[in-house]
Amino acid sequence: MADRAGCDPAWQAVEVSTLRELAEEHTQLRPADVDHLHRIAGDWQLLSDLSFADLLLWVPVDGDESFLCVAQVRPTTAPTAYLDDQVGRIVGGPEVAHLTIAYSQGRIWREGDPVWYGDVPARHEAIPVRLRTADGEAGEVIAVVGRDTNLSTARTPSQLELNYLTTADDLAQMLADGTFPPPRHPGETTSAPRVGDGLVRLDASGKVTYASPNAQSAYRRLGFASHLVGEDLAVLHRRLATDPLEGTDAANGILAALRGEAPPRREIDARGATMLTRALPLMPAGVPIGALVLVRDITEVRRRDRALITKDATIREIHHRVKNNLQTVAALLRLQARRVGIPAARAALEESVRRVASIALVHETLSMSSDEAVEFDGIVDRVARAAAEVAATDTPVRMRREGSFGVLPAEIATSLVMVLNELLLNAVEHGFPPSDSAPEPGTVSAGAEVVVSAHRFRKQLHVTVDDNGRGLPADFDAERGGNLGLQIVRALATGELRGSIELRNRAGGGTEAVLVVPLAAPRPR
């Protein structure tokens, strides 16, 4: 056996990077070629597990008779042949003869003696990688997949292992043909069923020729107690599914795979259990010989999903009821204010109505959201309009927002909306107080403006509310002065929001309130 130790001079190492960056730096592969290699790396765990082998993706290096490893996957069904990561390695000389043959001749290489990786004996195989042309023809070889099997635990293979290896050889030939992996359907993630979840192999007629123990167990949960071998799987799916339409979709997926297509994943519900299925065509050398069906029991996953949906609906309903209750409280306070004859008491009640209404805005938004977070810009705009409409001033004030608050968690949004409500009302009422005489009809005071600015910086939200009004009085005490509204602002800013607030006069006239709120996780209570 040949010996390949870690210090072998035939090996070089480059700085490990992503597959795309390695390919762009060291090869002349086209973007479409690299995209195809990405698809292989996203779906080749299946081939690795069926092969009981490590897979290494090799690309030829420009201007050199060497190959660069750009991706690697280890089997979950067998021990790895490599303890060290091979990505970023450049191999040349006689050690890559098998890769050179597969690349230049476009055929799968299986001959040769085992080699040693340190203390581990391994068997070499090399599979050429083709990207099919736009008209469906087999294109040129763009890379080679090395399939290296750890032989230290070699034993007489079982029926399961024989079926896995046979299927792996079919997929390897499809990889060399350019028909594996199949294109991914929109919206599909990588959480597909795997070999260990359950595997069913079908012949060209759709009959089961082999079913792994885990696959047999998954179908038993759906209510099928007999052995799967010999069953027409499409017919079985129609029979088992609780929903006839769902059963027809699952059966059509099987039939599509038998025709050489790659259907999207399907779910089957029966007897309270749910199974996810993925059907792959088996077409070595372009000849349809059957299909491979991977199955996963996702009953508990769907149960948790339903529980989360129920929980989300309950939370939204709670926010809806809180919003309704707050609006009721605001209506009661408004009604009471109309009956109070003391102007100061009426003004206090009206301020309370506005404060309660601003909190209700947050809960109204949360009642329409699927999580405990709100898009805050719309809330700020509504609060600003309300402040301009109800403020006791005869000066029309223009409200404007700059920047974006973004999405904020509920615990920040509730306190922040109260702070902004108070700051906006103070800016309008105290920055532009009522004059002794009403303006002439049709006249507009020019230039009265309040601007709310927001931006994020280093996990902090920086908010500024400034106006071009008359500014703060000379004897204003920023720490203790101010009305009840400013006291509320200071208490919420430094308490609930764990931030800071500063009130000061602007250089060009007017007042500026600067609020800094940390956006890190809230401290435990």
Side-chain angles (χ1 to χ4, degrees):
M1 294 184 179
D3 184 16
R4 180 180 291 170
C7 59
D8 193 323
W11 285 84
Q12 301 178 39
V14 299
E15 185 177 349
V16 176
S17 188
T18 65
L19 187 159
R20 186 175 298 277
E21 289 170 341
L22 287 171
E24 290 176 350
E25 182 177 354
H26 298 278
T27 75
Q28 294 293 328
L29 292 175
R30 301 162 299 182
D33 299 333
V34 178
D35 289 341
H36 184 61
L37 298 185
H38 267 291
R39 285 194 297 273
I40 292 173
D43 223 353
W44 67 348
Q45 184 70 60
L46 169 64
L47 179 56
S48 176
D49 289 345
L50 290 171
S51 301
F52 305 100
D54 292 74
L55 300 183
L56 283 72
L57 185 56
W58 299 97
V59 294
V61 178
D62 289 342
D64 195 357
E65 295 181 358
S66 303
F67 286 85
L68 167 67
C69 181
V70 295
Q72 176 184 2
V73 63
R74 293 181 171 91
T76 62
T77 52
T80 180
Y82 301 95
L83 295 179
D84 297 326
D85 186 21
Q86 303 300 301
V87 176
R89 296 276 190 173
I90 295 179
V91 188
E95 302 295 340
V96 297
H98 63 300
L99 302 179
T100 303
I101 293 173
Y103 183 79
S104 60
Q105 298 182 12
R107 66 177 180 88
I108 297 177
W109 185 91
R110 292 192 174 96
E111 53 267 27
D113 296 327
V115 296
W116 287 87
Y117 296 105
D119 296 331
V120 178
R123 181 177 64 248
H124 265 335
E125 294 178 75
I127 307 166
V129 175
R130 284 186 175 86
L131 174 62
R132 299 187 78 82
T133 62
D135 56 4
E137 297 296 325
E140 62 183 7
V141 178
I142 60 174
V144 179
V145 168
R147 183 163 61 169
D148 301 335
T149 306
N150 185 332
L151 299 177
S152 62
T153 58
R155 62 186 186 277
T156 303
S158 65
Q159 183 185 12
L160 178 144
E161 291 171 335
L162 289 173
N163 277 278
Y164 279 17
L165 292 171
T166 300
T167 305
D169 287 342
D170 292 334
L171 293 180
Q173 184 60 55
M174 293 172 63
L175 181 62
D177 298 337
T179 56
F180 180 85
R184 181 167 294 166
H185 293 270
E188 286 190 345
T189 64
T190 57
S191 59
R194 296 194 173 186
V195 171
D197 297 322
L199 177 144
V200 180
R201 180 168 177 133
L202 309 180
D203 62 17
S205 67
K207 300 289 182 63
V208 177
T209 60
Y210 175 77
S212 70
N214 283 345
Q216 191 72 54
S217 297
Y219 279 92
R220 186 171 291 113
R221 292 206 63 180
L222 295 180
F224 183 74
S226 302
H227 204 278
L228 283 167
V229 173
E231 290 288 332
D232 187 318
L233 201 62
V235 174
L236 181 62
H237 283 184
R238 286 196 187 95
R239 192 166 75 241
L240 290 178
T242 302
D243 183 347
L245 181 59
E246 185 179 85
T248 299
D249 286 343
N252 289 340
I254 300 294
L255 298 175
L258 293 172
R259 293 193 300 267
E261 303 171 14
R265 299 160 198 170
R266 309 287 188 184
E267 290 185 12
I268 302 176
D269 289 284
R271 297 182 60 180
T274 304
M275 187 174 71
L276 178 65
T277 67
R278 182 191 185 192
L280 296 169
L282 293 177
M283 299 178 58
V287 179
I289 63 171
L292 179 68
V293 181
L294 300 173
V295 299
R296 174 186 293 173
D297 183 354
I298 58 170
T299 303
E300 289 303 311
V301 175
R302 288 295 172 259
R303 183 189 63 80
R304 288 193 295 268
D305 288 346
R306 287 190 290 269
L308 287 174
I309 292 173
T310 302
K311 180 181 178 181
D312 289 343
T314 302
I315 292 174
R316 288 197 298 271
E317 178 62 21
I318 290 172
H319 285 302
H320 180 72
R321 294 188 182 188
V322 170
K323 182 262 297 184
N324 288 344
N325 290 339
L326 289 172
Q327 289 179 339
T328 301
V329 171
L332 292 174
L333 290 173
R334 192 178 295 109
L335 181 63
Q336 186 66 43
R338 293 171 183 169
R339 294 174 176 270
V340 173
I342 304 173
R346 183 184 301 110
L349 288 172
E350 289 174 349
E351 285 184 0
S352 297
V353 168
R354 291 193 289 271
R355 289 167 184 146
V356 172
S358 66
I359 299 174
L361 277 178
V362 176
H363 287 280
E364 180 182 4
T365 305
L366 286 169
S367 69
M368 298 180 289
S369 174
S370 60
D371 52 25
E372 286 294 283
V374 295
E375 181 64 52
F376 202 71
D377 290 346
I379 293 176
V380 173
D381 295 343
R382 292 175 65 179
V383 170
R385 286 195 299 270
E389 291 171 358
V390 303
T393 178
D394 53 24
T395 303
V397 180
R398 186 165 75 101
M399 293 285 185
R400 183 162 56 88
R401 173 174 56 82
E402 293 181 348
S404 175
F405 288 81
V407 177
L408 296 177
E411 60 268 21
I412 292 179
T414 303
S415 299
L416 184 58
V417 72
M418 288 194 65
V419 170
L420 290 175
N421 180 63
E422 300 297 336
L423 292 176
L424 289 169
L425 285 172
N426 271 282
V428 174
E429 293 182 349
H430 299 286
F432 312 99
S435 60
D436 295 334
S437 58
E440 293 293 330
T443 62
V444 177
S445 299
E449 185 178 60
V450 177
V451 180
V452 182
S453 305
H455 72 277
R456 299 188 180 211
F457 180 71
R458 293 181 178 176
K459 295 185 178 181
Q460 291 181 329
L461 178 65
H462 293 252
V463 182
T464 302
V465 178
D466 57 54
D467 64 72
N468 57 357
R470 64 178 183 176
L472 296 171
D475 59 349
F476 179 78
D477 187 343
E479 293 297 324
R480 289 179 291 275
N483 53 19
L484 175 61
L486 290 181
Q487 294 176 23
I488 292 174
V489 167
R490 281 193 289 269
L492 290 175
T494 59
E496 293 296 319
L497 293 175
R498 299 172 290 117
S500 62
I501 182 72
E502 181 182 359
L503 296 172
R504 61 197 181 204
N505 283 315
R506 293 175 64 225
T511 308
E512 183 177 61
V514 180
L515 174 67
V516 178
V517 179
L519 296 175
R523 62 189 176 188
R525 295 180 178 273

